[in-house]
Amino acid sequence: MKSETVTKTAVQTSARKSAAGFAIPRASALSLALSLAFASLSGVAHAAADDSWVATKTKAFLPQVQAKQKSSAVDASVQTPAEAAVQMAQGEPVHVTLSLNLRNEAKLDQFLKDLHTPGSTAHRKYLTPAQFKAEYAPTEKDVATVVAHLRKAGFVNIKVAPNRQLVSASGTAATVQAGFHTALKRFQQDGRPVFANTDAAQVPAALGHIVGAVLGLQNVELAHTNFVMQAPQQGRAAVLAKARTNATPVQTSHSPAEFPGIYNAGSTPTASNTTVAVISEGDLTQTISDLNTFTDSNNFATINTNVVQTGADGSDYSDTSGMVEWNLDSQTIAGTTGGAVQQLIFYASPDMQFSSITASYNQVVSDNLAKVINVSLGACEAAANSDGTQAADDNIFKQAVAQGQTFSVSTGDAGAYNCQVSSISGAPGVPKNKSTYDVSEPASSPYVIAVGGTALYTNAGAYSSEIVWNEGLRAIGQYDAAGDVDNTKRIWATGGGYSKYEAAPSYQSGVTASGATTRGLPDIAFDAASASGANLVINGSTTNQNGNLYTVGGTSLAAPIFTGVWARLQSANANGLGFPAASFYKYFPLAANASLLHDVTSGTNGYSSSYGFKAAKGWDAVTGFGSLNIGNLNAFVTNTADFAR
């Protein structure tokens, strides 16, 4: 592996298609194609006979791609790939996932507030999945109506999620046209074949109050990981020697096992009584092997792991391109928890399509086994909103909050430019318009803890200070397994800013920028700089063929640090803590609680110091409240009856 040049970008292998069974037996490829073809014809006739259709939250995606490509084209007279898109063959397979609207949502929103309001009848009364389904999920009757529509349009292999939030099905381009009144077109994007819907997805008016979004109608935009590997530079031993000689704080890499000491875990218990989950993708075999090597080398007990595959039946999980990410997540969680969790569950998607990752979120919530869930993934918020994914994810995260689960989500590594991408590789963080800012989804959800990134300085291994993580611009370099290179320069810096779509949650009132009406992020931050990153075991070794340490940073390091910290606090409090955002914003701004945090007051996440969002005293839209002092926070939580309770 070439640790000097490999970076993860938005470019992933093209999504693999798969199917899942419901009540219809699996068929041969020929019989399936024939059944879909005949069924889609009857579905088209049905659609033509009924003009009463309504739009879902899934917007027309192809026109947006066309406009974006045209705006960035060097020569406006040259046809862009998206403009040259051609109709998908009517019999070409498509897998869709419908996100259904929650029921009694206003009542649910009030319940989520009352959960953490002392004196409320709902205070600390977390729901089970069965209770949530009974009160807030779509009804069985509504789901049956959706299933009937899908069957009539020609879809097969229909599967309803346990919590009834998602319904997936196998079909064709023709059944998509029949079922949702939109065509699908193919074209090339960033060197890979993709497709997108030409129109907003619609459903019959009778389903308008049930179906929120139709996912799977595009694979142009994919979720991407948020890590960066350190380039070859002065060795860690030399940096530490310099620090000892000059007593100067330095940025130097760390074993994940060192983070508890740096962030003052003190006597805080390990997470031995708490189950943690990691949202992941593909083949986890090497990741688990490397985790075992890591724990063994640090004299930790072997961690009990499990892999839950979340895709449709028959999905391909052979992809290993995200292995470094899953290693970073798992080894950082293991190190930060003190080498002990009750269980570490990898919820593995077969690919990085939005719909596939959403299905993973939904499975971890439906299972309700993990108290803390790590998500070191993200995407341009505007794309997730247009696709309908943002609304679908929020519904799932609401259930997590109701059940007392906490999602820890990285804010991205593209600074304030998550939606500005390279025209060659599709990598984010290319500031074509230096003063236009955006944020990453799902970090922008009010129902997750958004974790930003810092550059960590230590002195002889002890905490010294942190500044905003911003490594400036550098060439993207190799961006796929084929060895393709993109010389476009992108920024490597922590995500942060304000959502364009999520309303400001009540818990941020009076804390974020004056006049802010949308969700501000991050909430907190931890180490993310490649220079002060985590030294990992990769493919059985801590060094590459040149003897350099595998050192990895990015907000994909920051998020699992918080995951490990919160898991420890859960174990210390009998897993009785719930979603902590409201408590963060209630208690962290108080001057009396300054010892709970390391406030970060220097740096920006923009193109230069004149752009992006700037760190400041207290909460800011680049590092949130800063990083946590684990031991001090644990003592405070223990002695504060309503903290995350």
Side-chain angles (χ1 to χ4, degrees), residues 12-35:
Q12 301 287 339
T13 55
S14 66
R16 290 169 288 278
K17 301 172 181 63
S18 54
F22 177 58
I24 302 173
R26 297 183 62 82
S28 69
L30 177 59
S31 62
L32 176 59
L34 289 172
S35 66

Side-chain angles (χ1 to χ4, degrees), residues 18-21 26 95 159 168 170 309-317 350:
S18 54
R26 297 183 62 82
H95 189 77
K159 182 177 180 180
S168 60
S170 299
Q309 296 179 336
T310 61
D313 294 344
S315 295
D316 181 0
Y317 293 89

Side-chain angles (χ1 to χ4, degrees), residues 44-83:
V44 170
H46 162 70
D50 183 0
D51 293 329
S52 182
W53 288 60
V54 295
T56 67
K57 294 183 178 72
T58 299
K59 303 169 186 175
F61 212 85
L62 181 60
Q64 297 180 46
V65 179
Q66 292 170 332
K68 191 173 183 179
Q69 288 187 356
K70 181 61 73 175
S71 67
S72 62
V74 177
D75 186 347
S77 66
V78 177
Q79 187 180 50
T80 65
E83 287 179 317

Side-chain angles (χ1 to χ4, degrees), residues 411-559:
T411 58
D413 296 351
Y417 311 107
N418 292 275
C419 297
Q420 298 190 47
V421 303
S422 166
S423 59
I424 296 173
S425 65
V430 180
K432 300 169 185 177
N433 188 329
K434 300 177 182 65
S435 57
T436 298
Y437 310 134
D438 51 70
V439 296
S440 178
E441 195 277 341
S444 59
S445 173
Y447 309 103
V448 307
I449 297 300
V451 188
T454 68
L456 172 66
Y457 287 82
T458 54
N459 193 336
Y463 182 92
S464 176
S465 64
E466 289 167 279
I467 62 173
V468 172
W469 171 53
N470 189 336
E471 297 179 17
L473 298 173
R474 77 164 181 262
I476 292 166
Q478 181 182 327
Y479 65 90
D480 62 17
D484 294 315
V485 173
D486 183 356
N487 290 317
T488 306
K489 289 188 176 181
R490 63 156 289 179
I491 193 171
W492 290 96
T494 181
Y498 289 88
S499 168
K500 290 182 171 66
Y501 309 99
E502 299 275 17
S506 59
Y507 58 73
Q508 289 193 321
S509 178
V511 179
T512 58
S514 176
T517 59
T518 57
R519 157 78 154 134
L521 59 147
D523 301 304
I524 55 171
F526 280 101
D527 183 26
S530 61
S532 56
N535 299 323
L536 302 182
V537 175
I538 296 177
N539 289 321
S541 176
T542 57
T543 58
N544 64 11
Q545 58 189 4
N546 298 318
N548 295 315
L549 288 169
Y550 286 120
T551 302
V552 187
T555 55
S556 281
L557 168 60

Side-chain angles (χ1 to χ4, degrees), residues 196-210:
N197 52 306
T198 60
D199 301 284
Q202 299 182 50
V203 292
L207 298 181
H209 69 291
I210 304 172

Side-chain angles (χ1 to χ4, degrees), residues 224-317:
H224 58 79
T225 54
N226 294 317
F227 75 82
V228 56
M229 296 195 77
Q230 184 183 37
Q233 58 179 324
Q234 187 178 25
R236 182 179 188 235
V239 173
L240 290 176
K242 179 180 178 181
R244 285 193 294 269
T245 300
N246 301 327
T248 302
V250 295
Q251 286 188 62
T252 186
S253 60
H254 305 278
S255 164
E258 294 177 315
F259 287 123
I262 292 170
Y263 286 110
N264 186 37
S267 60
T268 306
T270 67
S272 60
N273 295 321
T274 301
T275 294
V276 176
V278 173
I279 302 299
S280 56
E281 180 263 354
D283 186 352
L284 279 302
T285 305
Q286 187 61 52
T287 288
I288 292 175
S289 175
D290 287 342
L291 175 61
N292 291 338
T293 300
F294 170 80
T295 54
D296 184 63
S297 64
N298 283 280
N299 296 315
F300 296 148
T302 299
I303 289 178
N304 177 21
T305 60
N306 186 28
V307 177
V308 177
Q309 296 179 336
T310 61
D313 294 344
S315 295
D316 181 0
Y317 293 89

